[in-house]
Amino acid sequence: MEPRAVPLYPAECGDELLYRIWDVQYACQQLVAPDEPIPDRVETAAYLRSNPASERRWYWTVGDVDGFAEVSVTDGQSTAWLDLYVAPDARRRGAGRALLEAAAARAKEQGCKHLIGEYVEPGAAGFVRAVGAREGTDRLRYSVLRLPLRTGPVPDVPGYERVSWTGSAPEELLASYAQARNAINDAPHDDAVDEERYTPERVRDLEADAARRDRTGYVTVALDPTRTVVAYTEVQVARTAGASGFTGDTAVVAAHRRRGLALWIKDGCLRRLAAQRPDVTRVLTENDVTNAPMLAVNDRLGFVPSSVRTEAILDL
């Protein structure tokens, strides 16, 4: 019998079922990037049960949780994002295709033009071609850092103030912080990828979602002399002991680039994290392989490349 993708509603599921989804994700990760941390079972269940107000998500499983797929769409965007996993011992039986067909149909219903995912292993390239998808221009280098930092502190950048917070952005910085986050749109990305649109409301929505998932955001920004945020970086960490850190974006507003701000704030953020959470010993980050400035920053801080992932795009 052909595999069938079945909709999953995490809010109605017990922990055991959601933990089995993590088992599939972990097994796939171990095949291609065993040195990279992933959120643990509890973090994964919390993620599946929580949803930012500005984002819509749908989930499917196939068989006895032999595979899992997630589609997410941010409000106002025409791009749908796909995560798809099939257990290593359940492959080549149609599970991946069944999940993809369900995901593509839902994305198309939402008016999306593209469904985008990424892959690591060479075998997945054949699957991408077989289902009519194409390789995008984006290739992402994932890298792992061991804390504490083994490099010396980065000197202050004259004319700027470095400010850090945990959790929610201070109200007096919220507007310029939200605006600065839009600088990430200057990073290399395929034409099929919609630009991000950050507003104070969306920032607060994402902060609330992290809190519901029992995660803490460690944020460091650079302020210009007018106390406007002109650069930012963030690491998200679950509150459970021994959790790993996962970087969000790091970006600098165009008029303030080439002054060392990205290195300065990321160094400060990671040192603060290590001081406040000595139990966190690994941090994962990702950058496009053509983003030479950020790759140089991460290399300087001690991040070690762990995998390269290729973007796959299904035009709907």
Side-chain angles (χ1 to χ4, degrees):
M1 185 171 64
E2 289 294 320
R4 184 171 67 91
V6 178
L8 177 76
Y9 304 98
E12 303 172 6
C13 298
D15 288 345
E16 186 59 33
L17 176 58
L18 301 185
Y19 291 171
R20 286 162 66 192
I21 290 171
W22 180 89
D23 290 339
V24 173
Q25 293 176 332
Y26 181 76
C28 294
Q29 181 85 355
Q30 289 302 295
L31 278 180
V32 297
D35 295 331
E36 293 176 8
I38 66 170
D40 65 19
R41 288 182 175 88
V42 175
E43 291 179 70
T44 298
Y47 168 82
L48 293 170
R49 288 182 174 132
S50 181
N51 203 83
S54 57
E55 187 176 310
R56 290 158 286 153
R57 296 180 188 153
W58 300 269
Y59 309 96
W60 297 265
T61 59
V62 67
D64 187 21
V65 196
D66 295 324
F68 165 78
E70 172 194 342
V71 166
S72 60
V73 180
T74 299
D75 290 348
Q77 295 194 358
S78 62
T79 300
W81 295 94
L82 172 70
D83 281 330
L84 191 156
Y85 301 87
V86 176
D89 60 358
R91 295 179 179 178
R92 301 186 182 279
R93 302 176 194 171
R97 186 180 289 271
L99 289 166
L100 179 63
E101 288 175 353
R106 181 55 53 88
K108 195 169 184 178
E109 288 173 4
Q110 298 301 309
C112 295
K113 298 178 181 178
H114 311 283
L115 180 63
I116 302 180
E118 59 186 45
Y119 65 90
V120 185
E121 58 184 297
F127 176 76
V128 169
R129 292 190 296 269
V131 298
R134 59 184 172 88
E135 286 189 7
T137 59
D138 296 345
R139 297 180 70 236
L140 300 175
R141 189 189 88 173
Y142 280 62
S143 305
V144 179
L145 174 72
R146 296 279 181 174
L147 290 177
L149 290 171
R150 291 163 176 77
T151 53
V154 174
D156 290 345
V157 178
Y160 295 89
E161 178 185 358
R162 190 169 61 186
V163 173
S164 298
W165 64 78
T166 302
S168 298
E171 192 64 35
E172 67 273 15
L173 297 179
L174 178 60
S176 67
Y177 173 54
Q179 182 60 38
R181 290 192 62 156
N182 290 304
I184 195 62
N185 291 316
D186 295 337
H189 62 274
D190 193 278
D191 290 342
V193 177
D194 288 331
E195 292 193 345
E196 295 288 351
R197 289 289 178 265
Y198 286 101
T199 63
E201 293 76 19
R202 187 180 178 200
V203 169
R204 288 293 190 233
D205 177 38
L206 294 173
E207 291 169 345
D209 180 65
R212 287 192 298 271
R213 293 161 54 194
D214 209 25
R215 290 169 70 91
T216 300
Y218 291 81
V219 181
T220 298
V221 303
L223 306 182
D224 71 5
T226 68
R227 293 193 60 78
T228 297
V229 176
V230 296
Y232 71 96
T233 190
E234 178 186 26
V235 180
Q236 289 260 337
V237 187
R239 293 179 185 140
T240 52
S244 295
F246 299 89
T247 59
D249 295 327
T250 300
V252 179
V253 173
H256 298 268
R257 291 173 187 159
R258 296 181 176 84
R259 305 180 190 189
L261 290 176
L263 177 63
W264 182 47
I265 60 173
K266 195 159 189 176
D267 177 78
C269 185
L270 292 167
R271 291 183 189 281
R272 179 169 173 264
L273 171 62
Q276 295 188 6
R277 289 286 304 272
D279 59 301
V280 177
T281 60
R282 293 193 298 172
V283 176
L284 182 70
T285 195
E286 62 182 84
N287 306 96
D288 193 277
V289 296
T290 65
N291 192 346
M294 278 310 306
L295 292 175
V297 165
N298 290 328
D299 290 344
R300 168 85 176 269
L301 292 171
F303 281 89
V304 177
S306 52
S307 69
V308 174
R309 309 192 182 201
T310 302
E311 185 179 72
I313 302 174
L314 181 65
D315 299 312
L316 302 174

